[in-house]
Amino acid sequence: MAFLSQLGELWHRRPNLVHWTAVGAVALVALVLVAGTQGRARSAATAWGTPVRVLAASSPLAIGTSVDGNVDLVEVPAHLVPAGALTSTLDVGKVTRTVPRGGLLTELDVDPTSGVSGGRRGVGIGVSPHAPEVRPGTAVELLLFADIDPFQPADTSVGAERVRAHVLASAADRWFVEIDPADLESVARASATGVIVPVVLSAAQ
């Protein structure tokens, strides 16, 4: 009789055992899924590189705007950080080209305190990835095409304004050039609304 009583008690406890067994199995599966997701997230983060703190424009910056007070330090994956990205506002002057809100600032976006001849202006310009390789001191002619869509075939009826310049620095798809102050507005307009095609006149010695 005692044996039968024990079997009866076990039988009545069976629903609780099944319930907690199921709960444990679900918890185990959830733990495995979470661990797998975290592992994939870490792998993805590693693929993009360790985040780097760089300066980004907190609002659209016009040419001549002071960097101080108009930028934020943001974390960007190292893989996406452009060459010469600025990490501090220390000794940084005014921007020499328009920078959109959220744009990452590089050395070519600011007017350096040295390198620009007296009576001249330094300005950063975007160039095609296929632009010729140049060194500081290279004389170039900038063909300015303003108010056109750079992703559409060029309209042969559109004439280019020509501006003489000297390259002060070059990196990736950006150049920093020295121009006459009278040409600053034309270069800025072409940079913002069209394309600039550089033509090498004489290589640096």
Side-chain angles (χ1 to χ4, degrees):
M1 294 296 294
F3 177 71
L4 292 177
S5 297
Q6 291 176 353
L7 286 178
E9 292 177 3
L10 180 61
W11 175 262
H12 289 298
R13 288 201 306 267
R14 185 184 61 170
N16 289 334
L17 293 175
V18 172
H19 170 77
W20 289 113
T21 300
V23 169
V26 171
L28 180 61
V29 171
L31 181 62
V32 171
L33 290 176
V34 170
T37 301
Q38 290 178 337
R40 288 191 295 272
R42 284 192 295 269
S43 298
T46 301
W48 283 102
T50 303
V52 178
R53 292 175 64 83
V54 294
L55 295 182
S58 56
S59 60
L61 303 181
I63 293 175
T65 302
S66 174
V67 170
D68 191 29
N70 293 301
V71 295
D72 296 317
L73 269 175
V74 298
E75 288 193 348
V76 178
H79 183 70
L80 301 179
V81 175
L86 299 179
T87 59
S88 171
T89 58
L90 186 65
D91 296 329
V92 176
K94 301 177 180 179
V95 296
T96 56
R97 65 183 299 273
T98 56
V99 180
R101 180 176 183 178
L104 303 182
L105 276 74
T106 71
E107 294 173 352
L108 298 183
D109 289 319
V110 297
D111 187 6
T113 56
S114 62
V116 181
S117 303
R120 303 276 285 177
R121 288 295 300 273
V123 61
I125 62 171
V127 296
S128 165
H130 305 293
E133 293 186 4
V134 293
R135 296 192 304 169
T138 300
V140 297
E141 184 174 57
L142 306 179
L143 306 183
L144 310 179
F145 296 89
D147 302 315
I148 64 172
D149 185 349
F151 299 103
Q152 295 294 330
D155 184 350
T156 55
S157 65
V158 177
E161 184 175 353
R162 299 170 180 267
V163 168
R164 293 293 183 95
H166 280 86
V167 177
L168 298 181
S170 63
D173 58 351
R174 191 77 57 80
W175 289 2
F176 188 75
V177 298
E178 178 186 271
I179 61 175
D180 189 282
D183 297 321
L184 183 60
E185 184 176 350
S186 296
V187 173
R189 180 180 176 187
S191 179
T193 68
V195 293
I196 298 177
V197 179
V199 177
V200 175
L201 298 179
S202 63
Q205 301 298 321

